Amino acid sequence: MTGILLTHHHTDHIGLVNRIVSTHTIPVYAHPNAILILKRDTEYIKMRVEFFRKLYQEMGCGEIGEKQVADLHNPIILSEDNKIHCGIQQITNNQLFGFDILEIPGHAPDQVALYNKECKWLFTGNLLIGNIPSNAFIEPDFDGIRTKSIVQQKQSLEKCLSLNVDLVFSGHGMIIENPIDL
């Protein structure tokens, strides 16, 4: 089977999808929570802007926070180029392309990993990166409530640590050959 599975919604992980599907008719899959973001849903974007406006005010960020909120309205970020134009199929079960699909929020609330028990391979998106520390981002859930991203990141790392994995394919950098050491 041929298809694209998006590990999470960040633009550096979706950049070529529109180009690929414009010349190849293949399905695109994503976590159900990623679809509103990937489609640049107007109501979701408004909620996200309001979430960060309130967060930056509560944290006393002043002008810097106001600039960050203004950047969320930036036409480059919201442009059609950053929107996925094709249909996106929700990942609805725990298997795809012969891989187990694992929810691993923290870095992004919609991040998933692909695990193949036979090969002992794990594709982690940005959960584990060999050359820099993994990071959790402050994000709202779909009700506009701040996620516990650091707790989620820790739980996701523990989930992956419990697997029998020889190789980790990260979203950035080299293949990780000793993931337990990292």
Side-chain angles (χ1 to χ4, degrees):
M1 178 173 199
T2 300
I4 298 171
L5 182 128
L6 303 174
T7 58
H8 61 292
H9 73 270
H10 293 164
T11 55
D12 61 325
H13 290 263
I14 64 166
L16 293 175
V17 171
N18 287 331
R19 181 187 284 177
I20 293 168
V21 298
S22 72
T23 58
H24 304 285
T25 306
I26 57 175
V28 175
Y29 299 88
H31 188 283
N33 293 344
I35 295 174
L36 288 177
I37 305 166
L38 295 168
K39 292 293 191 176
R40 301 300 188 255
D41 178 81
T42 305
E43 292 305 311
Y44 171 80
I45 297 295
K46 285 180 191 175
M47 179 277 297
R48 193 170 191 279
V49 168
E50 180 60 17
F51 168 84
F52 281 107
R53 185 191 64 73
K54 286 171 59 177
L55 177 70
Y56 295 146
Q57 282 179 345
E58 289 170 8
M59 298 297 165
C61 295
E63 288 181 30
I64 294 170
E66 291 171 18
K67 182 184 178 322
Q68 287 294 108
V69 170
D71 285 348
L72 291 172
H73 290 288
N74 184 334
I76 293 171
I77 294 169
L78 300 175
S79 75
E80 289 293 308
D81 292 340
N82 291 324
K83 174 181 178 179
I84 301 297
H85 297 288
C86 65
I88 302 171
Q89 297 182 36
Q90 292 185 19
I91 299 169
T92 56
N93 60 37
N94 297 331
Q95 277 266 318
L96 192 62
F97 308 129
F99 287 84
D100 293 334
I101 305 297
L102 310 172
E103 292 192 31
I104 53 166
H107 176 75
D110 58 330
Q111 185 168 236
V112 296
L114 294 87
Y115 174 54
N116 186 294
K117 292 175 196 161
E118 290 77 36
C119 296
K120 299 181 183 178
W121 289 358
L122 182 66
F123 291 80
T124 62
N126 284 4
L127 177 68
L128 200 59
I129 302 172
N131 58 339
I132 59 174
S134 59
N135 52 30
F137 287 120
I138 295 173
E139 290 279 348
D141 65 14
F142 288 88
D143 294 320
I145 308 297
R146 183 175 174 176
T147 62
K148 295 181 182 199
S149 56
I150 293 174
V151 172
Q152 291 173 335
Q153 181 84 349
K154 181 180 181 289
Q155 290 169 341
S156 293
L157 286 165
E158 289 168 347
K159 180 187 286 187
C160 291
L161 185 61
S162 72
L163 302 172
N164 185 13
V165 174
D166 287 340
L167 296 176
V168 170
F169 297 84
S170 173
H172 299 276
M174 303 297 291
I175 296 170
I176 301 166
E177 294 184 11
N178 277 326
I180 291 175
D181 292 345
L182 184 60

